[in-house]
Amino acid sequence: MMNADTVNARERIPDSCCFVIFGVTGDLAHRLVIPALYNLEESGLLPEKFCIVGVTRTETQSKTLKADLMKGLEKHATRPVKQEIADKLFGCLTSIHADPGDPKSVEGLKVQLEKARKDKGITNHLFYLAVPPGAFKPISEMLGAAGLLKEKDDAWRRLVIEKPFGTDLQSAKQLNADLLKLADEHQLYRIDHYLGKETVQNILVLRFANGMFEPIWNRNHIDHVQITVSETIDVGTRGSFYEQTGALRDMVPNHLFQLMALVAMEPPSRFDAHSVRSEKGEALAAIQTQTEAEALKNSVRGQYLAGRIGDRQVGYYRQTKDVSPDSVVETYAALKLTIDNWRWAGVPFYLRTGKALAAKRTEVAIRFKQAPFSMFRTTEVERLSQNYLVIGIEPTEGIMLQFNTKVPGPQVTIDGVEMKFKYKDYFKASPNTGYETLIYDCMIGDNILFQRADGVEAGWAAVQPFLNAWKKAGGKGLAMYQAGTDGPEEAHELLERDGRRWRAIDGE
């Protein structure tokens, strides 16, 4: 893992490599991959012997592709674009036509990679699949059939795959099986951009590098955990995609479960990829499997109605382009999960995510058990504020601790106060896309931040009962909520019946 601002003694320059991008003309490459590569180049973290091969499905001149990517960089860059840096980055770019439907078309890619070997001595290849999920398997099979995934003569081959990794447990298992026929597990990098965020990575440091937290990180001291990923954006132009996916598939098995795994995992024996990923996988595998009846009881699915978010009017989801007028696809999901192990027995984990909500917020909130109240019974104190440790990821990266203290004055009055740490107040960091760390780790071969097959399958196994139960229920139980609110009332009832409540998503 790295900070993309400076090169220090602990950051090594990656091996020389060809960075092959499938889907180079698409939105993901323009918004995130190319800007991240630019930031790495500016920070001196790309190898001197480096080239980009953009793979297109139609014949495209390299000059045309460079101009297109330059426009995208100027639009989506997180930092001012310096022409000399951009020229260096795009100076090594070549456009190649290859289509999985035409096996012979891969010959052009093989010729270009061989040219890089002869001209620059580059023998390592990283294949980045910035493509829709349906293209993962055919592209991988095309590369495998051409022998481009085979490692030999100390040259490495790595395959980077974007989410969603499968649409349910069965499809995830099948995709894993298909890919593992073509490449070894150490070659596969299942990428989740949430894990590139500094605050997410800092969960491990917060837990395991501070003696004040690890001793109380268990069922004896923690009442419950809330994980929230709320978005103000609506489905917009992605109606066709969302009708096939929904909030649960889109966010829970990847983003939310990665956060949950970091909070719940046991301490790894060492800070390396195998140890960390093994403990994360064990935490997800320990999520208690629910029956379909339990899944219905311990979940809420919602769909947004028309409403206003700030100064923007949002339309009814069912009136979105490419959305069925009687759609029962959820745009909001809330779950209650438990982890069946010694550390977390009896501690509920509440997860929620949704679109068209009141505020954009991603956070992990750990609620500690209330201290005994009896000693204050002769004072003016009527209640104690809740004790929370909140790890903020978006929009503000930081950590907040909420605790009780005495209000100044002659009487003993207690009130809750907050201590806040914000990254921007302590560390100077250049704006980035969140992909810099992940792409850098791909190039140096550090897969600590990437999901392993067992972790992916454990996540899908945990949500499969909810998928099954919701499918059978159809429109029954689908809750409606107005855009610009914090979700359906039924989501509040999910916690209220346990004597708890959600943290407000529109607060600081």
Side-chain angles (χ1 to χ4, degrees), residues 56-88:
T56 62
R57 295 191 65 175
T58 58
E59 295 284 354
T60 305
Q61 295 293 323
S62 296
K63 183 178 180 180
T64 302
L65 180 59
K66 289 177 185 179
D68 181 53
L69 292 177
M70 185 65 198
K71 288 181 181 178
L73 178 62
E74 291 171 343
K75 179 180 180 180
H76 298 292
T78 59
R79 312 174 188 177
V81 177
K82 299 176 183 177
Q83 192 61 48
E84 64 273 19
I85 301 295
D87 288 343
K88 184 178 180 182

Side-chain angles (χ1 to χ4, degrees), residues 45-114:
L45 289 172
L46 289 184
E48 190 62 33
K49 293 182 178 181
F50 180 77
C51 66
I52 301 173
V53 180
V55 181
T56 62
R57 295 191 65 175
T58 58
E59 295 284 354
T60 305
Q61 295 293 323
S62 296
K63 183 178 180 180
T64 302
L65 180 59
K66 289 177 185 179
D68 181 53
L69 292 177
M70 185 65 198
K71 288 181 181 178
L73 178 62
E74 291 171 343
K75 179 180 180 180
H76 298 292
T78 59
R79 312 174 188 177
V81 177
K82 299 176 183 177
Q83 192 61 48
E84 64 273 19
I85 301 295
D87 288 343
K88 184 178 180 182
L89 180 67
F90 294 135
C92 66
L93 183 143
T94 305
S95 176
I96 294 295
H97 163 66
D99 186 342
D102 178 12
K104 293 182 179 179
S105 67
V106 77
E107 290 301 318
L109 176 58
K110 293 177 69 175
V111 169
Q112 182 59 38
L113 295 176
E114 178 62 17

Side-chain angles (χ1 to χ4, degrees), residues 27-59:
D27 180 65
L28 178 63
H30 280 68
R31 285 190 304 107
L32 296 169
V33 179
I34 294 299
L37 287 173
Y38 173 87
N39 291 344
L40 288 170
E41 180 64 63
E42 184 185 40
S43 302
L45 289 172
L46 289 184
E48 190 62 33
K49 293 182 178 181
F50 180 77
C51 66
I52 301 173
V53 180
V55 181
T56 62
R57 295 191 65 175
T58 58
E59 295 284 354

